[in-house]
């Protein structure tokens, strides 16, 4: 099964840009990286990647990520 490290490698290799995770004036908060992909048709896709890069992604979550966040 895929890991969050695999997901992070995919979005970085596919040209997604990392968005800042700003909250309450801090530079970095939370336990996820947020990535964005602006598509030629004007829409934007967004994906969250857990900081736990070695953890496997459960099958239901992986299906959600593929279908709704990555749209592949």
């Amino acid at each position: 099964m895929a890991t969050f490290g695999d997901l992070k490698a995919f979005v970085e290799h596919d040209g997604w840009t990392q968005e800042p995770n700003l909250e309450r004036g801090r530079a970095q908060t939370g336990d996820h990286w947020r990535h964005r992909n602006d598509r030629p048709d004007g829409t934007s896709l967004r994906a969250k990647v857990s900081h736990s890069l070695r953890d496997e992604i459960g099958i239901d979550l992986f299906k959600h990520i593929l279908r709704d966040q990555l749209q592949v």
Side-chain angles (χ1 to χ4, degrees):
M1 184 52 66
T3 64
F4 288 106
D6 297 331
L7 178 58
K8 184 162 176 54
F10 173 81
V11 296
E12 288 175 350
H13 183 266
D14 198 42
W16 292 55
T17 56
Q18 188 173 340
E19 293 186 318
N21 183 13
L22 303 176
E23 182 177 301
R24 295 186 214 112
R26 297 181 191 158
Q28 188 78 17
T29 63
D31 55 354
H32 291 82
W33 288 289
R34 285 159 174 76
H35 291 81
R36 177 180 172 155
N37 184 357
D38 295 322
R39 301 175 78 169
D41 64 1
T43 61
S44 294
L45 298 177
R46 293 188 178 177
K48 290 191 324 184
V49 180
S50 174
H51 286 182
S52 302
L53 296 178
R54 293 184 183 169
D55 289 352
E56 287 188 355
I57 304 172
I59 189 71
D60 291 335
L61 178 58
F62 191 60
K63 286 179 183 179
H64 165 70
I65 291 169
L66 290 175
R67 181 185 63 240
D68 300 328
Q69 295 182 8
L70 304 180
Q71 292 187 1
V72 294

